[in-house]
Every structure is written in C-alpha cells, then in structure tokens.
Amino acid sequence: MRTVTILGATGSIGTSTLDLIEREPDRFRVVALTANCDVVRLAEAARRTNAELAVVADESCLPALVEALAGTATRAAGGMAAVCDAARSGAEWTMSAIVGCAGLGPTLAAIEGGGTVVIANKEPLVSAGEIILAAARTSGATLLPADSEHNAIFQCLAGDRPAGVRRLILTASGGPFRAWSLEQMAGVTPEQAVAHPNWSMGAKISVDSATMMNKGLELIEAARLFPVSGDAIDIVVHPQSAVHSLVEYVDGSMLAQIGPSDMRVPIAHTLAWPDRMATPLAPLDLIKLGRLDFEAPDPVRFPPLRLAREALGAGGARPAILNAANEVAVEAFLKRRCGFLEIAAIVADTLAAYDPPAPLDVDAVLAVDGEARRVAAERVKDRVA
C-alpha cells in the first residue's frame, strides 16, 4: 500500500484526491490530512479513510476537531507547526494543495522528507521556485505537477532529454471573455468572471483564468519544472480545453496530452506514477468533440501574460510580487472594490513600486509576499479613492 498525506484535504484538489483514494482503499493508506479550519469536512474525511492524523491550521479549531474525532483512532493536532509536522510524517506520496503562501512551509517540510511531493498550489514554484528546487535536489524528493497543463507536459516529455525539445506549449481556455472587447470587459462583474466555461474551480482561480493571469503563473511554473528557458515556452488559446498542453521536438514531432476537463485525471496520474490507475470519468468523446481550435492570446486585452513573462525574465523577487499583488487585486475585484481591468493595473503598479533583493529562504519570501500585499492594498485604496 502506498502511504499518502494530503495537505489541504478539504479544498477542491484535496477532495478530488480523496475521491480517487477512497475508490481503491486497498491501494492507499492515509497517514495525515490537513485543513485550515473546516473541522466538519476534515473529520468526515478522516473517518472515511481511517487517517492516522488530522490537523487544523487554525489552532482555535482543535477542540472541535478532537470532539468530532472522538471514538476513532485518528489523532488530532492544531497549528501551522503541526501542519508542517504532518508534512514530515514520512508518507511516500504527499499532495501539496494548501492555497496561498501558507502552503510554502508545509510544502518545503514535505520535500525535505525526500518522498514524492505533488505540487498543486502555484505559490511554491512561483514565489519560491529556486528554494523549492534546491531543497528537492538536497533531499532527493521527486516533484510531480498536478496542474493539468504541467502534468500534460510531464506525460508528453516521458523522460526525454531536454536537447530534443524545441518548445513547450501551454494551452489556455481563454476564459469566459475570450471574444469580448475591452469596452465589454470593463464592465465585467464577479459573477460573470467566476463562471468558467469548461472547468469547475474556486472563485480566485476562475478570475485568474478570466484575466489569463493563471496562464502567466503557469508559464513561471513551467520554467521551474522543466529544463527549458522561458523563451521556449509558448501559450496558445484552445477553447475546447481538451488538449491540456503540448511538447514540440526538434525533429518536428509534436506530442499532446488529451483528456477530460477534470482534475482527477492529472491527480490520478501522480497517485499511481509511474503506473496508471482508473478514474470514474467517461472517456473523451472525440466524435462529439468534433474539432480542436487554437489561436494566439491577445496581449492587449490580457496584459497579465506580459507581466508574468517580464517577472520570469527579471527573476529575483519579481514572481513573488506578481503573485501576491494579483491575489490582493483579485480579492478586491471579488469584493467589488475595483474593476475587472484594474486587476492587471494594480499588479503592474505594485511591480513598479516595489523591487526588493531576491529572497534567499522561505522567511524572506514570506516577507516579500507580505510587503507586496501591503503595497498592492495601497494601490487598491488609491483606485477606490
């Protein structure tokens, strides 16, 4: 049995991972599950999977968790230190799905354990990519991508040497406003922005898809994960979201990973890797799909693509600032404190106003993240005023 730990077990990635694990209970043993403060869903998951340990990051929720687990063999713990301890629990396979920079410490703790760590949250590789990769080299940990695009590239590379690769191609759905004019986009509401045409996702990542910032962040992640330069990574809009990404080789061959638009596909690939496992999903119906369209993204209507590429090229603290400022701007938009097109403008203003030295450890990354959020919040206030 493969031992597993899920960091962020009550989020969308965590619940999708649990769904797969619970379908094959003889194949997996759950060592630890963590959540921020959702005691009810965490306790239910721990009971269903007979998890050895359940942890809430919000220590004030610990008494409720202890009560919810009464009569079970599952141990309960609380606080961020306990989350990091859970990450170090020695599981062979760890899903890192804690949203935001709160996931940096636990992800690093899991990597230091030297097992297989699946990266589902963007912050470790975007904000602290060099630190994360150095830790993996030191511990011998295997990093696997759970994002559908990066997992697709990983599958298409299949261990090929980087010298044979010409470029990586990340696909983007284009979001709900792919064909909208700038004038129309200026009036976008939060309700419209979270209604993704192909994927079922949380509000923040749905907005990132609508602005195409998600693809900019994925560009940075891809440059960290795979042995190619940023110049060798392209982005194309693919409205059907059936081709999840492609690898082009120097001989002209192009390999694509195609499948349903469901995160359980890439998660299952990482859970069983280097083997395969079944999912409950119906196969992609190519006849019903009918066609595959591709087009170039519009950098004028979707400026986050340019901002992300510039941040990747500059390196240092720039990707961390980009990520933090975007989170602040998206939250402001969802709370109707700024317009849709102002999200990118707030990120650009923050990048222009704050340029610290490159962070050398996680504490420094968190300091950059915190200051970038403060600067971005000031830019939001300026626009509201």
Side-chain angles (χ1 to χ4, degrees), residues 45-98:
R47 284 176 174 272
R48 292 195 312 268
T49 60
N50 295 313
E52 297 173 15
L53 174 66
V55 183
V56 278
D58 185 344
E59 199 164 3
S60 67
C61 297
L62 180 56
L65 180 62
V66 170
E67 182 178 353
L69 291 173
T72 74
T74 302
R75 293 179 290 111
M80 280 306 300
V83 173
C84 289
D85 287 342
R88 297 188 189 95
S89 57
E92 299 168 82
W93 185 98
T94 299
M95 170 60 77
S96 175
I98 298 175

Short mmCIF file of all heavy atoms in Angstrom, two decimals, residues 45-98:
data_model
loop_
_atom_site.label_atom_id
_atom_site.label_comp_id
_atom_site.label_asym_id
_atom_site.label_seq_id
_atom_site.Cartn_x
_atom_site.Cartn_y
_atom_site.Cartn_z
N ALA A 45 -13.64 13.21 6.41
CA ALA A 45 -12.65 12.56 5.54
C ALA A 45 -11.75 11.63 6.35
O ALA A 45 -11.42 10.52 5.90
CB ALA A 45 -11.82 13.62 4.82
N ALA A 46 -11.36 12.07 7.53
CA ALA A 46 -10.50 11.23 8.39
C ALA A 46 -11.22 9.95 8.80
O ALA A 46 -10.63 8.87 8.82
CB ALA A 46 -10.06 12.03 9.61
N ARG A 47 -12.49 10.07 9.11
CA ARG A 47 -13.27 8.88 9.49
C ARG A 47 -13.41 7.92 8.31
O ARG A 47 -13.25 6.71 8.46
CB ARG A 47 -14.66 9.29 9.99
CG ARG A 47 -14.68 9.88 11.40
CD ARG A 47 -16.08 10.35 11.76
NE ARG A 47 -16.17 10.79 13.15
CZ ARG A 47 -16.42 10.00 14.19
NH1 ARG A 47 -16.61 8.70 13.99
NH2 ARG A 47 -16.49 10.48 15.40
N ARG A 48 -13.70 8.46 7.14
CA ARG A 48 -13.90 7.60 5.96
C ARG A 48 -12.63 6.86 5.58
O ARG A 48 -12.68 5.71 5.12
CB ARG A 48 -14.37 8.42 4.76
CG ARG A 48 -15.76 9.01 4.88
CD ARG A 48 -16.27 9.47 3.52
NE ARG A 48 -15.30 10.26 2.79
CZ ARG A 48 -15.20 11.59 2.83
NH1 ARG A 48 -16.02 12.27 3.63
NH2 ARG A 48 -14.30 12.23 2.12
N THR A 49 -11.47 7.52 5.73
CA THR A 49 -10.21 6.93 5.26
C THR A 49 -9.39 6.31 6.38
O THR A 49 -8.31 5.78 6.12
CB THR A 49 -9.35 8.02 4.58
OG1 THR A 49 -9.07 9.06 5.53
CG2 THR A 49 -10.07 8.60 3.37
N ASN A 50 -9.89 6.39 7.62
CA ASN A 50 -9.13 5.89 8.77
C ASN A 50 -7.75 6.55 8.85
O ASN A 50 -6.73 5.89 9.12
CB ASN A 50 -8.98 4.37 8.72
CG ASN A 50 -10.30 3.64 8.84
OD1 ASN A 50 -11.11 3.96 9.71
ND2 ASN A 50 -10.54 2.69 7.95
N ALA A 51 -7.71 7.84 8.61
CA ALA A 51 -6.46 8.58 8.64
C ALA A 51 -5.82 8.48 10.02
O ALA A 51 -6.51 8.49 11.04
CB ALA A 51 -6.69 10.05 8.29
N GLU A 52 -4.51 8.40 10.04
CA GLU A 52 -3.80 8.30 11.32
C GLU A 52 -3.78 9.65 12.05
O GLU A 52 -3.76 9.68 13.28
CB GLU A 52 -2.38 7.81 11.07
CG GLU A 52 -2.31 6.41 10.49
CD GLU A 52 -0.90 6.01 10.09
OE1 GLU A 52 0.06 6.70 10.53
OE2 GLU A 52 -0.74 5.03 9.35
N LEU A 53 -3.77 10.74 11.28
CA LEU A 53 -3.63 12.07 11.87
C LEU A 53 -4.47 13.07 11.09
O LEU A 53 -4.52 13.04 9.86
CB LEU A 53 -2.15 12.51 11.82
CG LEU A 53 -1.81 13.94 12.26
CD1 LEU A 53 -2.09 14.13 13.75
CD2 LEU A 53 -0.36 14.27 11.94
N ALA A 54 -5.15 13.98 11.80
CA ALA A 54 -5.89 15.08 11.18
C ALA A 54 -5.44 16.38 11.86
O ALA A 54 -5.35 16.43 13.10
CB ALA A 54 -7.40 14.89 11.35
N VAL A 55 -5.17 17.40 11.06
CA VAL A 55 -4.60 18.64 11.60
C VAL A 55 -5.37 19.84 11.05
O VAL A 55 -5.61 19.94 9.84
CB VAL A 55 -3.11 18.79 11.22
CG1 VAL A 55 -2.53 20.05 11.85
CG2 VAL A 55 -2.32 17.57 11.64
N VAL A 56 -5.71 20.78 11.94
CA VAL A 56 -6.27 22.06 11.53
C VAL A 56 -5.21 23.14 11.73
O VAL A 56 -4.58 23.21 12.79
CB VAL A 56 -7.54 22.43 12.32
CG1 VAL A 56 -8.77 21.75 11.76
CG2 VAL A 56 -7.39 22.13 13.80
N ALA A 57 -5.00 23.96 10.72
CA ALA A 57 -4.00 25.03 10.82
C ALA A 57 -4.43 26.07 11.85
O ALA A 57 -3.60 26.64 12.57
CB ALA A 57 -3.77 25.68 9.46
N ASP A 58 -5.73 26.33 11.93
CA ASP A 58 -6.28 27.28 12.90
C ASP A 58 -6.40 26.56 14.25
O ASP A 58 -7.31 25.75 14.45
CB ASP A 58 -7.64 27.79 12.44
CG ASP A 58 -8.21 28.86 13.35
OD1 ASP A 58 -7.72 29.00 14.50
OD2 ASP A 58 -9.15 29.56 12.94
N GLU A 59 -5.48 26.84 15.16
CA GLU A 59 -5.41 26.10 16.41
C GLU A 59 -6.66 26.26 17.26
O GLU A 59 -6.98 25.39 18.08
CB GLU A 59 -4.17 26.52 17.20
CG GLU A 59 -3.75 25.54 18.25
CD GLU A 59 -2.33 25.77 18.73
OE1 GLU A 59 -1.69 26.74 18.28
OE2 GLU A 59 -1.85 24.97 19.56
N SER A 60 -7.40 27.36 17.05
CA SER A 60 -8.62 27.56 17.84
C SER A 60 -9.69 26.52 17.49
O SER A 60 -10.64 26.32 18.25
CB SER A 60 -9.17 28.97 17.60
OG SER A 60 -9.65 29.13 16.27
N CYS A 61 -9.53 25.84 16.35
CA CYS A 61 -10.49 24.83 15.92
C CYS A 61 -10.16 23.44 16.46
O CYS A 61 -10.92 22.49 16.25
CB CYS A 61 -10.55 24.77 14.39
SG CYS A 61 -11.12 26.29 13.61
N LEU A 62 -9.03 23.32 17.15
CA LEU A 62 -8.60 21.99 17.61
C LEU A 62 -9.60 21.33 18.55
O LEU A 62 -9.89 20.13 18.39
CB LEU A 62 -7.22 22.08 18.26
CG LEU A 62 -6.64 20.77 18.80
CD1 LEU A 62 -6.58 19.71 17.71
CD2 LEU A 62 -5.26 21.02 19.41
N PRO A 63 -10.17 22.03 19.56
CA PRO A 63 -11.13 21.34 20.44
C PRO A 63 -12.30 20.75 19.66
O PRO A 63 -12.74 19.63 19.96
CB PRO A 63 -11.58 22.46 21.39
CG PRO A 63 -10.42 23.41 21.42
CD PRO A 63 -9.88 23.40 20.03
N ALA A 64 -12.79 21.48 18.66
CA ALA A 64 -13.90 20.96 17.86
C ALA A 64 -13.48 19.73 17.06
O ALA A 64 -14.26 18.78 16.90
CB ALA A 64 -14.42 22.05 16.91
N LEU A 65 -12.24 19.72 16.59
CA LEU A 65 -11.74 18.56 15.83
C LEU A 65 -11.60 17.35 16.75
O LEU A 65 -11.96 16.23 16.35
CB LEU A 65 -10.40 18.90 15.18
CG LEU A 65 -9.76 17.79 14.35
CD1 LEU A 65 -10.66 17.40 13.18
CD2 LEU A 65 -8.37 18.21 13.85
N VAL A 66 -11.08 17.57 17.94
CA VAL A 66 -10.95 16.47 18.90
C VAL A 66 -12.31 15.84 19.18
O VAL A 66 -12.47 14.61 19.20
CB VAL A 66 -10.30 16.96 20.21
CG1 VAL A 66 -10.36 15.89 21.29
CG2 VAL A 66 -8.85 17.37 19.96
N GLU A 67 -13.31 16.71 19.37
CA GLU A 67 -14.66 16.22 19.64
C GLU A 67 -15.22 15.46 18.44
O GLU A 67 -15.84 14.40 18.60
CB GLU A 67 -15.57 17.40 19.99
CG GLU A 67 -17.00 16.99 20.34
CD GLU A 67 -17.87 18.17 20.71
OE1 GLU A 67 -17.33 19.29 20.83
OE2 GLU A 67 -19.08 17.97 20.89
N ALA A 68 -14.97 15.99 17.24
CA ALA A 68 -15.51 15.35 16.03
C ALA A 68 -14.87 13.99 15.76
O ALA A 68 -15.49 13.14 15.11
CB ALA A 68 -15.29 16.27 14.82
N LEU A 69 -13.66 13.78 16.27
CA LEU A 69 -12.95 12.52 16.04
C LEU A 69 -13.05 11.57 17.23
O LEU A 69 -12.41 10.50 17.22
CB LEU A 69 -11.47 12.80 15.73
CG LEU A 69 -11.19 13.48 14.39
CD1 LEU A 69 -9.72 13.86 14.28
CD2 LEU A 69 -11.61 12.59 13.22
N ALA A 70 -13.84 11.93 18.20
CA ALA A 70 -13.99 11.08 19.39
C ALA A 70 -14.46 9.69 18.98
O ALA A 70 -15.35 9.53 18.14
CB ALA A 70 -14.99 11.71 20.35
N GLY A 71 -13.85 8.67 19.57
CA GLY A 71 -14.22 7.30 19.25
C GLY A 71 -13.49 6.71 18.06
O GLY A 71 -13.73 5.55 17.71
N THR A 72 -12.62 7.48 17.43
CA THR A 72 -11.82 6.98 16.31
C THR A 72 -10.37 6.82 16.74
O THR A 72 -9.97 7.29 17.81
CB THR A 72 -11.87 7.93 15.09
OG1 THR A 72 -11.07 9.10 15.37
CG2 THR A 72 -13.30 8.37 14.81
N ALA A 73 -9.58 6.20 15.89
CA ALA A 73 -8.15 6.04 16.18
C ALA A 73 -7.33 7.20 15.61
O ALA A 73 -6.10 7.21 15.75
CB ALA A 73 -7.65 4.72 15.60
N THR A 74 -8.00 8.17 15.00
CA THR A 74 -7.30 9.29 14.39
C THR A 74 -6.86 10.30 15.44
O THR A 74 -7.67 10.77 16.25
CB THR A 74 -8.21 10.01 13.37
OG1 THR A 74 -8.64 9.07 12.38
CG2 THR A 74 -7.46 11.15 12.69
N ARG A 75 -5.58 10.63 15.44
CA ARG A 75 -5.07 11.66 16.33
C ARG A 75 -5.38 13.03 15.76
O ARG A 75 -5.42 13.22 14.53
CB ARG A 75 -3.56 11.52 16.51
CG ARG A 75 -3.15 10.25 17.26
CD ARG A 75 -1.64 10.14 17.39
NE ARG A 75 -0.99 9.87 16.11
CZ ARG A 75 -0.22 10.72 15.46
NH1 ARG A 75 0.04 11.92 15.97
NH2 ARG A 75 0.35 10.38 14.31
N ALA A 76 -5.58 14.02 16.61
CA ALA A 76 -5.88 15.38 16.19
C ALA A 76 -4.77 16.32 16.65
O ALA A 76 -4.18 16.13 17.72
CB ALA A 76 -7.22 15.84 16.75
N ALA A 77 -4.49 17.34 15.83
CA ALA A 77 -3.50 18.34 16.20
C ALA A 77 -3.90 19.66 15.57
O ALA A 77 -4.72 19.71 14.64
CB ALA A 77 -2.10 17.92 15.73
N GLY A 78 -3.31 20.76 16.07
CA GLY A 78 -3.65 22.08 15.55
C GLY A 78 -2.47 23.01 15.49
O GLY A 78 -1.48 22.84 16.23
N GLY A 79 -2.55 23.99 14.59
CA GLY A 79 -1.50 24.99 14.42
C GLY A 79 -0.64 24.71 13.20
O GLY A 79 -0.55 23.58 12.71
N MET A 80 0.03 25.74 12.69
CA MET A 80 0.86 25.60 11.49
C MET A 80 2.06 24.70 11.73
O MET A 80 2.49 23.97 10.83
CB MET A 80 1.31 26.96 10.98
CG MET A 80 0.26 27.70 10.18
SD MET A 80 -0.42 26.74 8.79
CE MET A 80 1.06 26.43 7.81
N ALA A 81 2.61 24.71 12.95
CA ALA A 81 3.73 23.82 13.24
C ALA A 81 3.28 22.37 13.11
O ALA A 81 4.03 21.51 12.61
CB ALA A 81 4.28 24.09 14.64
N ALA A 82 2.05 22.09 13.53
CA ALA A 82 1.51 20.73 13.42
C ALA A 82 1.27 20.35 11.96
O ALA A 82 1.43 19.19 11.58
CB ALA A 82 0.22 20.61 14.23
N VAL A 83 0.87 21.32 11.14
CA VAL A 83 0.70 21.06 9.71
C VAL A 83 2.04 20.67 9.09
O VAL A 83 2.13 19.71 8.31
CB VAL A 83 0.10 22.28 8.99
CG1 VAL A 83 0.08 22.07 7.47
CG2 VAL A 83 -1.31 22.56 9.49
N CYS A 84 3.09 21.40 9.46
CA CYS A 84 4.43 21.08 8.95
C CYS A 84 4.89 19.71 9.45
O CYS A 84 5.53 18.95 8.70
CB CYS A 84 5.43 22.16 9.34
SG CYS A 84 5.19 23.73 8.46
N ASP A 85 4.56 19.39 10.70
CA ASP A 85 4.90 18.06 11.22
C ASP A 85 4.18 16.98 10.43
O ASP A 85 4.75 15.91 10.15
CB ASP A 85 4.53 17.97 12.70
CG ASP A 85 5.47 18.77 13.60
OD1 ASP A 85 6.59 19.10 13.13
OD2 ASP A 85 5.09 19.06 14.75
N ALA A 86 2.92 17.24 10.07
CA ALA A 86 2.17 16.28 9.26
C ALA A 86 2.82 16.09 7.90
O ALA A 86 2.88 14.98 7.36
CB ALA A 86 0.72 16.75 9.10
N ALA A 87 3.33 17.20 7.35
CA ALA A 87 4.02 17.12 6.06
C ALA A 87 5.29 16.28 6.15
O ALA A 87 5.71 15.66 5.17
CB ALA A 87 4.36 18.53 5.56
N ARG A 88 5.88 16.26 7.33
CA ARG A 88 7.11 15.47 7.55
C ARG A 88 6.79 14.05 8.04
O ARG A 88 7.68 13.35 8.51
CB ARG A 88 7.98 16.15 8.62
CG ARG A 88 8.51 17.52 8.26
CD ARG A 88 9.51 17.98 9.30
NE ARG A 88 9.87 19.38 9.10
CZ ARG A 88 9.30 20.40 9.73
NH1 ARG A 88 8.33 20.17 10.62
NH2 ARG A 88 9.68 21.63 9.49
N SER A 89 5.56 13.64 7.93
CA SER A 89 5.12 12.39 8.56
C SER A 89 5.69 11.14 7.91
O SER A 89 5.44 10.03 8.38
CB SER A 89 3.59 12.31 8.56
OG SER A 89 3.09 12.42 7.22
N GLY A 90 6.43 11.30 6.83
CA GLY A 90 7.08 10.15 6.22
C GLY A 90 6.24 9.44 5.17
O GLY A 90 6.58 8.33 4.76
N ALA A 91 5.15 10.04 4.72
CA ALA A 91 4.34 9.43 3.67
C ALA A 91 5.16 9.32 2.38
O ALA A 91 5.97 10.19 2.07
CB ALA A 91 3.08 10.25 3.43
N GLU A 92 4.92 8.26 1.64
CA GLU A 92 5.63 8.10 0.36
C GLU A 92 5.16 9.13 -0.66
O GLU A 92 5.94 9.51 -1.54
CB GLU A 92 5.36 6.70 -0.19
CG GLU A 92 5.86 5.56 0.70
CD GLU A 92 5.31 4.24 0.24
OE1 GLU A 92 5.90 3.67 -0.70
OE2 GLU A 92 4.30 3.77 0.80
N TRP A 93 3.90 9.55 -0.55
CA TRP A 93 3.28 10.46 -1.55
C TRP A 93 2.54 11.55 -0.80
O TRP A 93 1.71 11.25 0.07
CB TRP A 93 2.33 9.65 -2.42
CG TRP A 93 1.70 10.35 -3.57
CD1 TRP A 93 2.09 10.34 -4.88
CD2 TRP A 93 0.48 11.14 -3.53
NE1 TRP A 93 1.22 11.08 -5.65
CE2 TRP A 93 0.22 11.58 -4.85
CE3 TRP A 93 -0.39 11.52 -2.52
CZ2 TRP A 93 -0.87 12.37 -5.18
CZ3 TRP A 93 -1.48 12.32 -2.84
CH2 TRP A 93 -1.72 12.74 -4.15
N THR A 94 2.85 12.81 -1.11
CA THR A 94 2.19 13.93 -0.44
C THR A 94 1.59 14.87 -1.47
O THR A 94 2.27 15.30 -2.41
CB THR A 94 3.18 14.72 0.43
OG1 THR A 94 3.72 13.86 1.44
CG2 THR A 94 2.50 15.91 1.11
N MET A 95 0.32 15.19 -1.31
CA MET A 95 -0.34 16.20 -2.13
C MET A 95 -0.22 17.55 -1.44
O MET A 95 -0.67 17.72 -0.30
CB MET A 95 -1.81 15.85 -2.34
CG MET A 95 -2.64 16.97 -2.98
SD MET A 95 -2.06 17.47 -4.62
CE MET A 95 -2.70 16.14 -5.62
N SER A 96 0.42 18.52 -2.11
CA SER A 96 0.55 19.87 -1.57
C SER A 96 -0.49 20.76 -2.22
O SER A 96 -0.31 21.21 -3.36
CB SER A 96 1.96 20.40 -1.84
OG SER A 96 2.07 21.75 -1.42
N ALA A 97 -1.59 21.00 -1.52
CA ALA A 97 -2.71 21.75 -2.11
C ALA A 97 -3.22 22.83 -1.17
O ALA A 97 -4.41 23.18 -1.22
CB ALA A 97 -3.84 20.77 -2.46
N ILE A 98 -2.36 23.38 -0.33
CA ILE A 98 -2.74 24.49 0.54
C ILE A 98 -2.64 25.78 -0.26
O ILE A 98 -1.59 26.11 -0.80
CB ILE A 98 -1.85 24.56 1.79
CG1 ILE A 98 -1.99 23.28 2.62
CG2 ILE A 98 -2.20 25.79 2.64
CD1 ILE A 98 -1.05 23.21 3.81
#
